[in-house]
Amino acid sequence: MERFVIPKIPTLVDLDVYGKKVLVRIDINVPIDPNTGEIMDDRRIRVHARTIKLLVEKYGAAVVACSHQGRPGEHNFTSLERHADLLREYSGVDLEFIDDVMGPSAREAIKKLEPGKALLLDNLRFVSEELIEAIPEKQANTFLVKRLGPLFDAYINDAFATAHRSQPSLVGFPLVLPSAAGPVFEKEVVALRKAFESMESPRIFVLGGTKVHDLIRVIEHLVSSRMADRILTTGLLAQLFLAAKGVDIGVQNLGVLEEKGILALIPRARKILFRGAPVETPIDFKTIDKEGVVREESLGRITGTIMDIGGNTVSMYSGFIRDAKVVVMRGPAGVIEDERFRTGTKALLETAFQSNAFILIGGGHLASMVDESMVNESRVHLSTGGNALLLFLSGEKLPALEALSISAKMFLGW
């Protein structure tokens, strides 16, 4: 039986960074408005501002932060100058921005940086090497690592959301510098340990959203590892499993699945069901017809386009969630961009928060539905993990996590 393996990694308590020059890999890759170029959601910037503040004020370190933003050719492939303004505002730290990554200007600024000060380099993906995935040993020999590595005493990875990548800034530096996970990264790993190393059950997974190809891999791994007592499906994923069962979900909804390339996954979904997987599917939906009329429709009578789970499904799923010891939620239950179809997602979140379970919420659109002021941090974790979390749930190793583990053996004698 496969299990979720979380390697032991060093954190700030294991690394001497007091007064040292530290390179910190953060993830401030944020949504950018395609029309105005403005930052649309700065939550990641606010989170990482706390890391910079901690390193500067508590440890007196000279902090050089680096991140990527978008990909070449995309509208969100921008400079980090505006990000720097927000980091400065939210951290209250004297933070300088330089429009260079590893050239002479960047290296000189790094050399001159004094303890108690901070510097943000420009978009790492302005350097072509940062777009290449390779093993850590190869990434340690890139120009990016060879030019910047000797300028630092230590490296901190606080970018868990990119832990599924094997790029120089994530896996190269740990092989040339004493390294540790930052507080954001550490918090994610602690939450994963709580959710997956605990033997408490029932363990309930509530899966939805649009990333059906990724979620089918997650379910396959959950089944093979026997980590899930119940898998509650919503959204397009639920429609896939209903179609795999031979349930009539309406021609228009099958058309949506076909258009998104999801119908091709039916054989895999059937194989999961034939194995006796504990996959639950909705018994009713909230739909909308061509005239814009919204109604709740039961299975076998669906005439409209599916937009959310129905009230009976909410009741059924809530029953499973109330009794759970661990609840992992990924993706909304409905089309939450429209206020009329947020009901299912809100209801499932409320039930989870009212339960006694440890709750791991898998970021993205679902996290946007959570009022952070209402979250009990000892019992609820809002992940910034995104695709890294999805790949972990699929049973994949996370290269950045593995690189920190290797670094601990090389520099800390673990």
Side-chain angles (χ1 to χ4, degrees):
M1 178 173 65
E2 302 172 50
R3 303 298 292 178
F4 289 87
V5 179
I6 306 171
K8 184 184 177 188
I9 58 170
T11 61
L12 282 177
V13 298
D14 302 302
L15 200 62
D16 177 15
V17 295
Y18 285 95
K20 300 294 176 66
K21 193 158 288 182
V22 180
L23 178 64
V24 186
R25 176 56 158 101
I26 58 177
D27 181 13
I28 50 175
N29 180 36
V30 294
I32 303 290
D33 188 300
N35 299 313
T36 66
E38 290 297 309
I39 291 170
M40 298 169 66
D41 182 348
D42 64 10
R43 278 178 297 173
R44 284 186 174 180
I45 297 175
R46 282 187 276 128
V47 166
H48 286 294
R50 293 198 287 267
T51 297
I52 293 170
K53 183 181 179 70
L54 174 75
L55 290 167
V56 168
E57 296 186 355
K58 180 177 178 180
Y59 294 95
V63 178
V64 177
C66 60
S67 178
H68 72 284
Q69 171 63 56
R71 282 185 171 276
E74 297 178 353
H75 79 272
N76 61 349
F77 186 56
T78 66
S79 166
L80 299 186
E81 187 170 6
R82 175 63 183 137
H83 302 59
D85 293 337
L86 292 172
L87 278 175
R88 193 179 303 116
E89 177 186 339
Y90 292 137
S91 68
V93 164
D94 182 6
L95 180 139
E96 179 189 350
F97 170 75
I98 187 159
D99 59 353
D100 189 13
V101 178
M102 66 175 192
S105 299
R107 298 202 301 275
E108 190 60 28
I110 293 167
K111 289 175 187 174
K112 288 181 177 178
L113 191 69
E114 298 176 355
K117 305 283 186 182
L119 172 71
L120 178 66
L121 302 178
D122 213 339
N123 191 341
L124 283 167
R125 287 183 178 170
F126 288 172
V127 177
S128 59
E129 287 178 321
E130 185 64 11
L131 294 160
I132 298 169
E133 305 257 352
I135 60 173
E137 291 77 10
K138 188 169 183 180
Q139 300 294 35
N141 280 314
T142 56
F143 285 104
L144 179 68
V145 174
K146 287 194 289 187
R147 286 188 179 174
L148 296 187
L151 305 178
F152 294 97
D153 301 306
Y155 166 83
I156 294 169
N157 189 343
D158 210 27
F160 181 82
T162 58
H164 60 299
R165 300 289 185 196
S166 187
Q167 294 161 337
S169 72
L170 297 159
V171 303
F173 287 111
L175 268 62
V176 301
L177 288 167
S179 302
V184 175
F185 199 117
E186 181 185 5
K187 196 174 175 185
E188 295 281 352
V189 173
V190 167
L192 291 178
R193 291 192 195 284
K194 277 188 184 178
F196 298 105
E197 291 188 349
S198 153
M199 289 297 105
E200 287 192 297
S201 64
R203 207 183 295 261
I204 305 296
F205 288 77
V206 187
L207 304 178
T210 58
K211 295 187 174 181
V212 178
H213 290 78
D214 293 326
L215 290 172
I216 200 87
R217 289 176 58 203
V218 169
I219 292 176
E220 286 168 342
H221 187 64
L222 290 174
V223 172
S224 66
S225 63
R226 298 182 189 172
M227 289 296 287
D229 293 293
R230 279 287 185 277
I231 300 167
L232 313 181
T233 63
T234 66
L236 294 173
L237 182 68
Q239 294 176 51
L240 167 66
F241 275 96
L242 286 168
K245 289 178 178 181
V247 175
D248 181 9
I249 60 171
V251 175
Q252 68 279 26
N253 295 305
L254 283 174
V256 172
L257 295 183
E258 185 172 22
E259 182 185 318
K260 295 181 179 294
I262 295 171
L263 279 185
L265 298 174
I266 283 181
R268 285 171 70 180
R270 281 190 178 140
K271 188 176 179 182
I272 290 168
L273 294 169
F274 288 152
R275 292 176 66 183
V279 175
E280 301 290 339
T281 48
I283 54 178
D284 63 345
F285 290 99
K286 189 176 279 189
T287 65
I288 188 168
D289 65 19
K290 291 178 181 177
E291 283 71 46
V293 177
V294 175
R295 56 172 62 92
E296 291 209 359
E297 298 185 301
S298 300
L299 288 184
R301 301 174 187 169
I302 295 173
T303 59
T305 300
I306 293 171
M307 302 297 281
D308 195 4
I309 55 174
N312 292 322
T313 301
V314 168
S315 297
M316 179 177 76
Y317 282 8
S318 293
F320 288 118
I321 293 169
R322 280 190 203 99
D323 295 333
K325 295 289 190 232
V326 175
V327 177
V328 178
M329 306 181 79
R330 168 73 201 191
V335 183
I336 60 171
E337 291 81 2
D338 188 323
E339 283 280 353
R340 295 172 295 176
F341 307 115
R342 293 184 168 194
T343 311
T345 303
K346 280 182 176 178
L348 297 183
L349 283 169
E350 285 171 9
T351 302
F353 289 155
Q354 290 163 9
S355 74
N356 293 316
F358 174 72
I359 303 156
L360 174 58
I361 296 175
H365 287 101
L366 184 60
S368 71
M369 296 281 291
V370 178
D371 181 351
E372 293 183 36
S373 66
M374 303 285 286
V375 171
N376 176 349
E377 290 202 2
S378 65
R379 206 173 58 77
V380 179
H381 177 67
L382 284 176
S383 177
T384 59
N387 287 335
L389 178 64
L390 268 178
L391 282 172
F392 174 80
L393 293 176
S394 303
E396 299 280 334
K397 287 185 176 180
L398 301 181
L401 207 62
E402 301 294 325
L404 288 176
S405 182
I406 293 169
S407 183
K409 293 171 186 171
M410 292 175 66
F411 295 100
L412 302 179
W414 285 21

